[in-house]
Amino acid sequence: MNLAAATNESLAHTSNVLIYSSMAVYTLAFFAHIAEWVMGSRSKVGRTAAALSGSAAGGPAAPVVVRSGSTAVLERPKVVTRAAAGTRDVPDGPGAAGGTFQGDLWGRIAVSLTVVAFAVEAGGVATRALSVQRAPWANMYEFSITFSTVAVGSYLVLLALRKNVRWIGLPLVTTVLLDLGIAVTTLYTDSDQLVPALHSYWLWIHVSTAIICGAVFYLGAVGTVLYLFRDSYENKIASGGTPGRFAASVMERLPSASSLDKFAYRINAAVFPLWTFTIIAGAIWAGDAWGRYWGWDPKEVWSFITWVAYAAYLHARATAGWKGRKAAYLALVAFACWLFNYYGVNIFVTGLHSYAGV
């Protein structure tokens, strides 16, 4: 074995070690996020519930008396307008930490661990690229580890911009652990060189934008799912129902349904033009590699179906009769199309995009 081959093999081994190490740190972050939610303030949650009940009765949320030392201070909950059907206003929940010292401390620990895990995983992706001296996304294993890295990076960027998105932390870390678990056990493929059709600078452009779009669409899907749960919770309170203790302890720490709905819409709307560019870039690359821009290959078909689904969601979101839950269901259908385009088409369907199995 020559020196270059030995070096590449060593880099590939290092990449595997870094990916497994990142999984260990993500696991610690997962438990820290659990502690963040468990340690949340029940008293502040109770204040939010009282504000919600006041809104449900038809009037504005009443001021809440909060003890600060020996002085009673009037504090009015922050109220936002609900995007779904109806005119009721509701306040945002206090967040995952619930406003307590312990909750916030565990939340900061969880974010710090997520940053460390992100850096380690990014190192694993980089060393994988160095081991084969190409873009690290020629098969599903490499795509998966890069996808989860970009998803976590997008979340950390939102945090750095001081957006109120720490509630994404727990579902994100959970999903990343599942993604990496599937990658290292089922999708793993040894480092190898590209087939001739993939030797193009379009690999860096087309596939990188596809990964970015998928990661950001995922964040939008998380916001959409939580919006549906929170909206149901608010509707139950508005109709005079009493949610269970566990449901209340979780739902009241989330942003309002309005905030979640707006978050999901803005995320999906922001990345939709990039998804359009991804399809166009793929068509240009197909023209260079196969001599035709569009051939109704399964991957091309499902990319287009995904584009149509997200376009329908954005149109529905701007249509009065389709705002709220109906549009949210369309958003989830669109993300399901993206997932099938990645997993279903790659595993169950054979086409021109099938190069290295999984």
Side-chain angles (χ1 to χ4, degrees):
M1 182 182 294
N2 57 39
L3 180 60
T7 301
N8 291 341
E9 183 177 345
S10 176
L11 287 171
H13 176 71
T14 301
S15 173
N16 294 339
V17 171
L18 289 173
I19 294 300
Y20 277 102
S21 299
S22 71
M23 292 177 67
V25 183
Y26 278 128
T27 301
L28 295 176
F30 170 79
F31 286 113
H33 276 298
I34 292 291
E36 176 187 16
W37 284 82
V38 170
M39 298 295 179
S41 169
R42 292 295 189 273
S43 60
K44 196 163 186 179
V45 168
R47 288 162 48 201
T48 304
L52 280 168
S53 300
S55 296
V64 181
V65 178
V66 181
R67 291 286 174 182
S68 177
S70 59
T71 306
V73 181
L74 287 178
E75 180 179 297
R76 182 177 296 276
K78 180 182 178 182
V79 175
V80 295
T81 302
R82 191 163 176 264
T87 58
R88 176 169 47 85
D89 293 340
V90 296
D92 278 343
T100 65
F101 173 78
Q102 279 190 322
D104 186 63
L105 175 62
W106 280 108
R108 292 176 184 275
I109 292 173
V111 171
S112 299
L113 288 170
T114 303
V115 171
V116 173
F118 165 77
V120 175
E121 186 183 10
V125 173
T127 51
R128 175 80 175 196
L130 292 173
S131 70
V132 288
Q133 300 179 1
R134 59 165 171 77
W137 41 72
N139 50 62
M140 288 184 69
Y141 168 74
E142 294 174 352
F143 192 100
S144 293
I145 62 175
T146 306
F147 167 81
S148 57
T149 303
V150 175
V152 175
S154 301
Y155 164 67
L156 295 178
V157 167
L158 291 175
L159 284 180
L161 294 175
R162 300 185 180 279
K163 302 298 182 181
N164 178 25
V165 295
R166 210 160 82 182
W167 45 270
I168 297 179
L170 180 57
L172 173 65
V173 170
T174 303
T175 305
V176 167
L177 282 171
L178 291 173
D179 174 72
L180 291 179
I182 294 172
V184 300
T185 57
T186 304
L187 304 178
Y188 182 78
T189 304
D190 289 330
S191 300
D192 200 358
Q193 295 304 313
L194 298 173
V195 297
L198 296 181
H199 281 287
S200 171
Y201 60 88
W202 283 106
L203 175 66
W204 291 91
I205 300 173
H206 172 63
V207 184
S208 64
T209 54
I211 292 172
I212 292 171
C213 289
V216 178
F217 280 147
Y218 162 76
L219 296 180
V222 171
T224 300
V225 170
L226 294 180
Y227 156 73
L228 290 172
F229 280 112
R230 171 78 188 206
D231 185 65
S232 295
Y233 171 78
E234 292 177 8
N235 286 333
K236 187 170 187 176
I237 290 181
S239 61
T242 304
R245 183 175 179 181
F246 176 78
S249 67
V250 174
M251 290 296 108
E252 288 163 8
R253 293 177 193 164
L254 291 175
S256 67
S258 170
S259 296
L260 290 168
D261 186 41
K262 289 177 182 177
F263 169 82
Y265 170 70
R266 289 170 180 172
I267 285 287
N268 290 327
V271 78
F272 181 74
L274 186 61
W275 181 246
T276 304
F277 170 78
T278 300
I279 296 176
I280 294 173
I284 296 173
W285 188 10
D288 290 343
W290 301 320
R292 92 294 184 271
Y293 294 102
W294 192 266
W296 299 104
D297 182 73
K299 181 70 71 172
E300 297 170 348
V301 170
W302 277 96
S303 295
F304 179 67
I305 291 174
T306 303
W307 185 91
V308 171
Y310 273 108
Y313 160 72
L314 294 176
H315 177 72
R317 187 60 177 68
T319 304
W322 278 81
K323 286 184 178 180
R325 298 184 69 87
K326 291 182 180 179
Y329 292 136
L330 277 178
L332 294 183
V333 168
F335 185 67
C337 290
W338 188 92
L339 284 179
F340 181 80
N341 188 31
Y342 173 51
Y343 285 104
V345 172
N346 285 9
I347 295 175
F348 302 111
V349 183
T350 301
L352 290 174
H353 286 78
S354 303
Y355 291 111
V358 297

Coordinates of all heavy atoms in Angstrom, one line a residue, residues 23 26-27 30 121 144-145 147-148 170-187 218 342-343:
M23 N -22.1 11.6 17.7 CA -23.3 10.9 18.2 C -23.3 10.9 19.8 O -24.3 11.0 20.4 CB -23.4 9.5 17.6 CG -23.7 9.5 16.1 SD -23.7 7.8 15.4 CE -25.2 7.2 16.2
Y26 N -24.1 14.4 20.9 CA -25.5 14.7 20.7 C -26.4 14.0 21.7 O -27.4 14.5 22.1 CB -25.9 14.2 19.3 CG -25.5 15.2 18.2 CD1 -24.8 14.8 17.0 CD2 -25.9 16.5 18.2 CE1 -24.5 15.7 16.0 CE2 -25.6 17.4 17.2 CZ -24.9 17.0 16.1 OH -24.6 17.9 15.1
T27 N -26.0 12.8 22.1 CA -26.8 12.0 23.1 C -26.8 12.8 24.5 O -27.8 12.9 25.1 CB -26.2 10.6 23.4 OG1 -26.2 9.9 22.1 CG2 -27.0 9.9 24.4
F30 N -29.1 15.6 24.1 CA -30.4 15.2 24.1 C -30.9 15.1 25.6 O -32.0 15.6 25.9 CB -30.5 13.8 23.5 CG -31.8 13.1 23.7 CD1 -33.0 13.4 23.0 CD2 -32.0 12.1 24.7 CE1 -34.2 12.8 23.2 CE2 -33.2 11.5 24.9 CZ -34.3 11.8 24.2
E121 N -18.9 16.7 14.3 CA -19.5 16.1 13.1 C -19.1 16.8 11.8 O -18.8 16.1 10.8 CB -21.1 16.2 13.2 CG -21.8 15.4 12.0 CD -23.3 15.6 12.1 OE1 -23.8 16.4 12.9 OE2 -23.9 14.9 11.3
S144 N -26.3 11.9 4.2 CA -27.0 11.9 5.5 C -26.2 12.6 6.6 O -26.7 13.5 7.3 CB -27.3 10.5 6.0 OG -28.2 9.8 5.2
I145 N -24.9 12.3 6.7 CA -24.1 13.0 7.7 C -23.9 14.5 7.4 O -23.8 15.3 8.3 CB -22.7 12.3 7.8 CG1 -21.9 12.4 6.5 CG2 -22.8 10.9 8.3 CD1 -20.4 11.9 6.7
F147 N -26.3 16.3 5.7 CA -27.6 16.8 5.9 C -27.8 17.2 7.4 O -28.2 18.3 7.7 CB -28.7 15.8 5.5 CG -30.0 16.2 6.0 CD1 -30.8 17.1 5.3 CD2 -30.6 15.5 7.1 CE1 -32.1 17.4 5.8 CE2 -31.8 15.9 7.6 CZ -32.6 16.8 6.9
S148 N -27.4 16.3 8.3 CA -27.6 16.5 9.7 C -26.7 17.7 10.2 O -27.1 18.5 11.0 CB -27.4 15.3 10.6 OG -26.1 14.7 10.3
L170 N -34.7 20.1 21.1 CA -35.0 18.7 21.5 C -35.4 17.9 20.2 O -34.8 16.8 20.0 CB -36.0 18.6 22.6 CG -36.4 17.2 23.0 CD1 -35.2 16.5 23.5 CD2 -37.5 17.3 24.1
P171 N -36.4 18.3 19.5 CA -36.7 17.5 18.3 C -35.6 17.5 17.3 O -35.4 16.4 16.6 CB -37.9 18.2 17.7 CG -38.0 19.6 18.3 CD -37.3 19.4 19.6
L172 N -34.8 18.5 17.2 CA -33.6 18.5 16.2 C -32.6 17.5 16.6 O -32.2 16.7 15.8 CB -33.0 19.9 16.2 CG -31.7 20.0 15.3 CD1 -32.0 19.7 13.9 CD2 -31.1 21.4 15.5
V173 N -32.2 17.5 17.9 CA -31.1 16.6 18.3 C -31.6 15.1 18.2 O -30.9 14.2 17.9 CB -30.7 16.9 19.8 CG1 -29.8 15.8 20.3 CG2 -30.0 18.2 19.8
T174 N -32.9 14.9 18.6 CA -33.5 13.6 18.4 C -33.4 13.1 17.0 O -33.0 12.0 16.7 CB -35.0 13.6 18.9 OG1 -35.0 14.1 20.3 CG2 -35.6 12.2 18.9
T175 N -33.8 14.0 16.1 CA -33.8 13.6 14.6 C -32.4 13.3 14.1 O -32.1 12.4 13.4 CB -34.5 14.7 13.8 OG1 -35.8 14.9 14.3 CG2 -34.6 14.3 12.3
V176 N -31.5 14.2 14.6 CA -30.1 14.0 14.2 C -29.5 12.7 14.6 O -28.8 12.0 13.9 CB -29.2 15.2 14.7 CG1 -27.7 14.8 14.6 CG2 -29.5 16.4 13.9
L177 N -29.8 12.3 15.9 CA -29.4 11.0 16.4 C -30.0 9.8 15.5 O -29.3 8.9 15.2 CB -29.8 10.8 17.8 CG -28.9 11.6 18.8 CD1 -29.5 11.5 20.2 CD2 -27.5 11.0 18.8
L178 N -31.3 9.9 15.2 CA -31.9 8.9 14.3 C -31.2 8.9 13.0 O -30.9 7.8 12.4 CB -33.4 9.2 14.2 CG -34.2 9.0 15.5 CD1 -35.7 9.4 15.2 CD2 -34.2 7.5 15.9
D179 N -31.0 10.0 12.4 CA -30.4 10.2 11.1 C -29.0 9.5 11.1 O -28.6 8.7 10.2 CB -30.3 11.6 10.7 CG -29.5 11.8 9.3 OD1 -30.1 11.5 8.3 OD2 -28.4 12.3 9.4
L180 N -28.2 9.9 12.1 CA -26.8 9.3 12.1 C -26.8 7.8 12.4 O -26.0 7.1 11.9 CB -26.0 10.1 13.2 CG -25.7 11.5 12.8 CD1 -24.9 12.2 14.0 CD2 -24.9 11.6 11.5
G181 N -27.8 7.4 13.3 CA -27.9 6.0 13.6 C -28.2 5.2 12.3 O -27.6 4.1 12.1
I182 N -29.1 5.6 11.5 CA -29.4 5.0 10.3 C -28.2 5.0 9.3 O -27.9 4.0 8.6 CB -30.7 5.6 9.6 CG1 -31.9 5.3 10.4 CG2 -30.9 5.0 8.2 CD1 -33.1 6.1 10.0
A183 N -27.5 6.2 9.3 CA -26.4 6.3 8.4 C -25.3 5.3 8.7 O -24.7 4.7 7.8 CB -25.9 7.8 8.5
V184 N -24.9 5.2 10.0 CA -23.7 4.4 10.3 C -24.1 2.9 10.3 O -23.2 2.0 10.3 CB -23.1 4.8 11.7 CG1 -22.7 6.2 11.6 CG2 -24.1 4.6 12.8
T185 N -25.4 2.5 10.5 CA -25.7 1.1 10.6 C -26.3 0.5 9.3 O -26.0 -0.6 8.9 CB -26.8 0.9 11.7 OG1 -27.9 1.7 11.4 CG2 -26.2 1.3 13.0
T186 N -27.0 1.3 8.5 CA -27.7 0.8 7.3 C -27.1 1.4 6.0 O -27.0 0.7 5.0 CB -29.2 1.1 7.4 OG1 -29.7 0.6 8.6 CG2 -29.9 0.5 6.2
L187 N -26.8 2.7 6.0 CA -26.4 3.4 4.8 C -24.9 3.5 4.6 O -24.5 4.0 3.6 CB -27.0 4.8 4.8 CG -28.5 4.9 5.0 CD1 -29.0 6.4 5.0 CD2 -29.3 4.2 3.9
Y218 N -36.6 20.9 6.8 CA -36.8 20.1 8.0 C -37.2 21.0 9.1 O -38.1 20.7 9.9 CB -35.6 19.3 8.3 CG -35.6 18.8 9.8 CD1 -36.4 17.8 10.2 CD2 -34.8 19.5 10.7 CE1 -36.4 17.3 11.5 CE2 -34.9 19.1 12.1 CZ -35.6 18.0 12.4 OH -35.7 17.6 13.7
Y342 N -35.7 11.5 -1.3 CA -34.3 11.1 -0.8 C -34.3 9.6 -0.5 O -33.5 8.9 -1.0 CB -34.0 11.9 0.4 CG -32.7 11.5 1.1 CD1 -31.5 11.3 0.4 CD2 -32.7 11.2 2.5 CE1 -30.4 10.8 1.0 CE2 -31.5 10.8 3.1 CZ -30.4 10.6 2.3 OH -29.2 10.1 2.9
Y343 N -35.1 9.1 0.4 CA -35.0 7.7 0.9 C -35.7 6.8 -0.1 O -35.1 5.8 -0.6 CB -35.7 7.6 2.2 CG -34.8 8.1 3.4 CD1 -35.1 9.3 4.0 CD2 -33.7 7.4 3.8 CE1 -34.3 9.8 5.0 CE2 -32.9 7.9 4.9 CZ -33.3 9.1 5.5 OH -32.5 9.5 6.5

